[in-house]
Amino acid sequence: MANIVVDFQDTLNKVKKIEQLSVEVRNVANKHVDEIGNNVPSVWSGDGAGRYQKKIKKIDTRIKNRAKALERNASGLKASVNRLKRAEEYAKNLFSK
């Protein structure tokens, strides 16, 4: 029978990296993309400017959705690690008796 070895600490470290990445992605949307959209009216007017702002808003939404997806993935991975850790501890306790 094959054993599956999970390095819990390594996995939790990767969860932290994913969480940090989600924060960085959200910051890009909040600082840079929002700033571009907000500054358009001061330098550009007309139909083209309006369409450009709509496009910027779509891009902003996509970036923020990607950040949320990263957060969900990190949360799910963390929950899975904790469940697996508890199951392993339970099995050790059960079979050590």
Side-chain angles (χ1 to χ4, degrees):
M1 188 158 109
N3 291 330
I4 298 174
V5 179
V6 177
D7 184 349
F8 296 118
Q9 192 56 49
D10 181 56
T11 305
L12 290 173
N13 288 339
K14 289 177 181 172
V15 166
K16 287 180 185 176
K17 286 181 182 179
I18 294 170
E19 289 170 340
Q20 290 171 348
L21 182 60
S22 74
V23 169
E24 290 173 20
V25 169
R26 186 178 312 281
N27 285 340
V28 165
N30 289 336
K31 291 180 183 173
H32 302 293
V33 178
D34 284 347
E35 185 177 322
I36 291 168
N38 292 336
N39 289 332
V40 167
S42 66
V43 295
W44 190 8
S45 62
D47 292 341
R51 286 193 295 265
Y52 185 75
Q53 281 184 299
K54 284 183 182 180
K55 184 69 173 176
I56 288 290
K57 286 180 184 180
K58 285 181 184 179
I59 291 169
D60 184 57
T61 301
R62 282 191 214 148
I63 293 171
K64 287 177 181 175
N65 286 342
R66 188 65 49 107
K68 288 177 190 176
L70 285 168
E71 287 174 13
R72 285 191 306 269
N73 289 339
S75 177
L77 184 57
K78 190 175 188 177
S80 295
V81 166
N82 289 331
R83 281 193 304 273
L84 186 57
K85 200 184 236 183
R86 284 193 311 269
E88 188 175 278
E89 289 169 0
Y90 178 74
K92 282 181 184 178
N93 287 334
L94 186 64
F95 294 111
S96 67
K97 293 181 182 181

